[in-house]
Every structure is written in structure tokens, then in C-alpha cells.
Amino acid sequence: MSEVRIAVEQRTEFGKGAARRTRRAGKIPAVLYGHGADPKHLSLPSVEFARAIRENGHNAVLTLDVAGADSELALTKTITSHPIKGYIEHVDLLLVKRGEKVTVAVPVVLAGDAGPGSLVSQETTEVEVEAEALHIPEQLELSIAGAEVGTQLHASDIQLPSGVTLQSDPETLIVNVTEAAASMAEEPAAEGEAAEGEAAEA
């Protein structure tokens, strides 16, 4: 997992009006908390933060260069976006230390192709794992190569990197392989043939 450095500022104004002013200035209101310390109210640069999340995922470790204070490491805990316009309204950050283990949700991606005549349904797209803050995997790979109809793969079937342990229920269903339905294209053809037969009889 990449470590991203972002320059941030401490906020001294709070409330909806102050938050709107922060966003108009091209920044995102944020709160940093954890380790029993008092929450810190910050403003993040919108463009840099959005790029960090887009390129490194929500589990990117952020090095926050706080003006007038020491740098701190943080993970993104919650991102609140506007329900219609989509821009980021607020961010909650979790303070972490080097060497500390954290529990995070990591995306599961499928690799390979299942056997012929099968339909693959991914029932769960991410699982929770515990990992060192600076060594969180960006994604976890689950192979479905050659999987036959009737195959079910669970969280326990995911091969985890060294130092990463599964926190989700091992029996969580990730993939269900079923028999592919007959092609919908065949049905109109069959209907057309029946219609032609009826016309011929008439």
C-alpha cells in the first residue's frame, strides 16, 4: 500500500457555515481522531485527496503535514459525499502508528475463467482483514480458473499475504458458480419458427 503525503491545515471554525466556506475554498472538512487523543479538525486539499483515493484506494496511508505541527499518519475511515452532486463533503481520518495493526475492508477481485457453461456470481466484493498499517494490500485475488458448476468459494479460500489475517467470517460466501441459462437469443428464434408454422397451416 502506497503512502501519500498531503499538506493540511487545522480548522478553527466549525458548523455548517464554516464547512461550506471550507469547501468553497477548494478544501474538505475533516476530523482526525484515535489513540485517545483529542480530535483534530482539519481541512484537506480537495484535488490532492481525491487523487490519492482514486490512485491508491480508500486504504491509502496518508502522511498529514499539519501546518505548525508534526506530521501524522492516518487512514481514511469514512468519506461522506453529496448524494446528488457527488463531491466530498466530509472525511473522518483514523490516526495510526508505524507498526500498528489495523482492521480494514479490502476489495476482492476474481482471477481466471470458470468452466464452460457456467455463470459466476460474486456475492461479496470485499472482506475485512487485519494488517500492519503500512502493509495493507490494495486488493485480494481469488482464483476461479476452471471452477465448475456448483462451486462455492468462501472467504477462507482467499490466499492472504504474509502478515495479513482474515477478520470476516471464514464462511462468508464470495463466489457462487451456477449453470448458465440458455441464450435469450434462442427464444425469439423459436417463437418466430412457431409463427411461421402457424402461418403455413393457415
Side-chain angles (χ1 to χ4, degrees), residues 102-127:
V102 294
T103 299
V104 295
V106 177
V108 178
V109 298
L110 307 183
D113 296 313
S118 63
L119 175 66
V120 176
S121 299
Q122 185 170 358
E123 306 294 337
T124 305
T125 57
E126 62 182 22
V127 294

Side-chain angles (χ1 to χ4, degrees), residues 15 26 35 38 62 70 86 101 115 119 131 143 148 152 159 165 170 177 196:
H35 288 278
D38 292 335
L62 305 176
D70 294 333
K101 288 195 171 184
L119 175 66
S143 175
E148 299 179 351
Q152 291 189 330
Q159 297 296 313
T165 56
V177 183
E196 288 177 5

